[in-house]
Amino acid sequence: MRATFALAWPLVVAQVAQNAINTTDVIMMGWLGPEALAAGTLASTFIMPFLVGGIGLVGAVAPLTAQARGARDIKAVRRFVRQGFWIGILTALVLVPLILQVRTIMGWLGQDPALAARAEEYTQIAAWMLFPGFAIVVLRSLLSTFDAARVILLVTLVGVAVNALGNYLLMFGNWGFPRLELRGAAIATILTNLAMFAALLSFVLTHRRLRRFHILMRFWKPDWQKFHQIFALGLPIGFTVLAEVSLFTAAALLMGRLGTDEVAAHAIALQCASLAFMVPLGVGMATTVRVGIAYGRNDRAGIGYAGWSGMTLGTGFMIVSCLAFLTLAPFIVRVFLDPTKPENLNALALAATFLIVAGIFQLADGVQVVAAHALRGISDAKVPMIVAIVGYWLVGLPVAYVLGLVVGWRGVGIWIGLACGLAFVAAILLARFAWRERLGLVKIVI
């Protein structure tokens, strides 16, 4: 428990800080006006599935380097990191041209042409952020594996400040810089990611424990065996993450059919749930590493200790957030909307109701994310991917649609559907980790 907590807490805070970078962008786009905020939000929403899918793919470096550490195979660590960079570059080369077609794709989706044109201003530049962004994921995986998560936290906090300063200078033309508005925000995003990548890479290349891996040695040399291992594990992880993200995107679209107040209330409740989710997500990342190390050294008992301690920590926090949402929902939502304005009262009431439902599914959300990460530590990703697709798209979304739009429970029905999808996935992944031995998931590695 102590080892998991020591590795997890910097990752948790780093995830919150990463979220703060996005929040800073939203706030400062709002200073440009509602049209700029809408266009920037549309652009960010468009980029997000490409980004999280690629992060899931490249994120396979974490369990594989952890397994290599457990097996004390220094050469394999270098090979996995090097090929992780390769996959990150190739993935960005595939995704960036797709992102650059944002105006055409938005036209197909029936979005306002003027809004799509402004969104294109942002995405034409921000799309290139994928190159340093995926490389950062590779370095974070290496640093987490070797207990250097505090460096990730420090660099991410610096990234928050760099991004805010870049926005201030380039979006609004302060201190003699040109006023570039949304283009300025995109440039600041790229500069922030480049700065974070440079800082992490410098640390890895100079730190006495990490420089021995020589991660850039013969960088140009292909290693198709490790490339295939990363790709085979990372592809289902990417689709798993996409399945969950797309469920919440679909829920937002369903809310859009109910009215403005429902959409606003949904956004408030989702922001609160997302913030709470950062804790089990960080714990899950730590659990992947600790399970992977135990798996690499063929420590069957250690796999269990690492997995169950991670789930205990993640679920323990979600019990606290569950109680907070159930008892303090009316007070929490007032942070987002002024309760003294009559036009906000309906949205506030809806948000408080949604947050109560979110409180109920906090436990399921915590279990599913940590269980999924524990299974990744033993290189089990294909079946969890199928479970996620079935749970989110064949259970969660249909229940949300039926209860919300057919039965007439409206927003509450949609959130109950989200809860059902998460509970389905949590139950199966928890059982799969518990039965890992009888299912033959624990094998001798490396």
Side-chain angles (χ1 to χ4, degrees), residues 5 29 34 41 56 105 119 199 244 285 338-339 355 361 386 391 398 420 422 427:
F5 181 78
M29 285 176 185
T41 302
I105 296 173
E244 183 173 3
M285 293 175 177
D338 186 354
L355 203 56
F361 79 52
I386 296 171
C420 290
L422 290 167

Side-chain angles (χ1 to χ4, degrees), residues 350-431:
L350 289 170
T353 304
F354 296 167
L355 203 56
I356 291 173
V357 181
I360 295 172
F361 79 52
Q362 288 292 288
L363 298 180
D365 208 10
V367 169
Q368 66 87 17
V369 69
V370 181
H373 278 80
L375 290 168
R376 290 169 196 172
I378 56 176
S379 294
D380 180 40
K382 291 182 180 178
V383 171
M385 173 191 70
I386 296 171
V387 171
I389 292 172
V390 172
Y392 298 138
W393 282 91
L394 300 183
V395 176
L397 187 59
V399 172
Y401 178 82
V402 170
L403 293 183
L405 302 182
V406 178
V407 176
W409 291 3
R410 298 179 67 81
V412 172
I414 293 173
W415 273 79
I416 291 174
L418 297 177
C420 290
L422 290 167
F424 177 90
V425 174
I428 295 182
L429 295 187
L430 184 65

Side-chain angles (χ1 to χ4, degrees), residues 55-417:
I55 288 174
L57 176 58
V58 178
V61 172
L64 292 172
T65 53
Q67 293 167 16
R69 179 189 173 183
R72 300 189 177 185
D73 189 345
I74 293 177
K75 185 178 179 181
V77 172
R78 177 173 63 249
R79 292 165 67 189
F80 280 127
V81 171
R82 189 175 65 206
Q83 293 308 298
F85 284 137
W86 273 50
I87 286 182
I89 292 169
L90 292 175
T91 302
L93 285 172
V94 171
L95 296 181
V96 167
L98 295 176
I99 295 173
L100 294 179
Q101 305 305 313
V102 57
R103 187 190 290 197
T104 302
I105 296 173
M106 286 298 170
W108 294 342
L109 296 176
Q111 297 295 321
D112 179 82
L115 203 59
R118 292 215 63 185
E120 187 180 42
E121 295 178 13
Y122 181 87
T123 53
Q124 280 184 331
I125 300 171
W128 302 98
M129 169 265 294
L130 267 60
F131 286 96
F134 293 157
I136 288 170
V137 175
V138 175
L139 293 173
R140 283 174 54 131
S141 299
L142 175 64
L143 290 165
S144 299
T145 296
F146 288 90
D147 307 315
R150 295 187 184 188
V151 177
I152 299 172
L153 168 59
L154 178 61
V155 169
T156 308
L157 290 174
V158 172
V160 175
V162 171
N163 186 67
L165 178 61
N167 283 347
Y168 180 76
L169 298 178
L170 297 173
M171 290 176 67
F172 305 102
N174 291 307
W175 298 357
F177 284 82
R179 181 183 174 91
L180 301 176
E181 300 196 347
L182 290 180
R183 290 189 179 92
I187 294 172
T189 297
I190 292 179
L191 293 176
T192 299
N193 279 271
L194 286 172
M196 292 170 63
F197 168 68
L200 292 176
L201 182 62
S202 298
F203 181 84
V204 170
L205 295 179
T206 57
H207 190 271
R208 61 180 183 81
R209 279 190 70 202
L210 299 172
R211 65 189 180 194
R212 63 193 171 114
F213 294 115
H214 303 289
I215 62 171
L216 298 182
M217 186 174 71
R218 292 193 293 273
F219 182 80
W220 60 89
K221 183 180 178 181
D223 188 337
W224 300 118
Q225 180 192 12
K226 300 304 182 189
F227 185 96
H228 179 265
Q229 281 185 263
I230 297 171
F231 195 82
L233 180 60
L235 194 62
I237 292 175
F239 278 115
T240 299
V241 176
L242 269 177
E244 183 173 3
V245 170
S246 60
L247 171 67
F248 284 89
T249 300
L253 295 175
L254 291 179
M255 286 289 183
R257 299 177 62 175
L258 299 177
T260 302
D261 285 344
E262 280 81 358
V263 173
H266 176 75
I268 292 170
L270 188 58
Q271 183 63 37
C272 295
S274 298
L275 182 60
F277 181 73
M278 293 300 106
V279 176
L281 178 59
V283 172
M285 293 175 177
T287 302
T288 293
V289 170
R290 295 202 61 244
V291 169
I293 292 172
Y295 186 45
R297 63 172 180 252
N298 300 311
D299 181 359
R300 294 174 182 265
I303 292 171
Y305 291 141
W308 292 119
S309 63
M311 278 184 259
T312 300
L313 283 174
T315 308
F317 173 81
M318 292 307 247
I319 291 174
V320 175
S321 63
C322 169
L323 293 175
F325 288 174
L326 291 177
T327 57
L328 301 175
F331 303 98
I332 293 173
V333 298
R334 292 181 185 179
V335 174
F336 297 87
L337 289 175
D338 186 354
T340 63
K341 295 183 177 180
E343 63 269 23
N344 292 339
L345 295 180
N346 187 43
L348 283 169
L350 289 170
T353 304
F354 296 167
L355 203 56
I356 291 173
V357 181
I360 295 172
F361 79 52
Q362 288 292 288
L363 298 180
D365 208 10
V367 169
Q368 66 87 17
V369 69
V370 181
H373 278 80
L375 290 168
R376 290 169 196 172
I378 56 176
S379 294
D380 180 40
K382 291 182 180 178
V383 171
M385 173 191 70
I386 296 171
V387 171
I389 292 172
V390 172
Y392 298 138
W393 282 91
L394 300 183
V395 176
L397 187 59
V399 172
Y401 178 82
V402 170
L403 293 183
L405 302 182
V406 178
V407 176
W409 291 3
R410 298 179 67 81
V412 172
I414 293 173
W415 273 79
I416 291 174

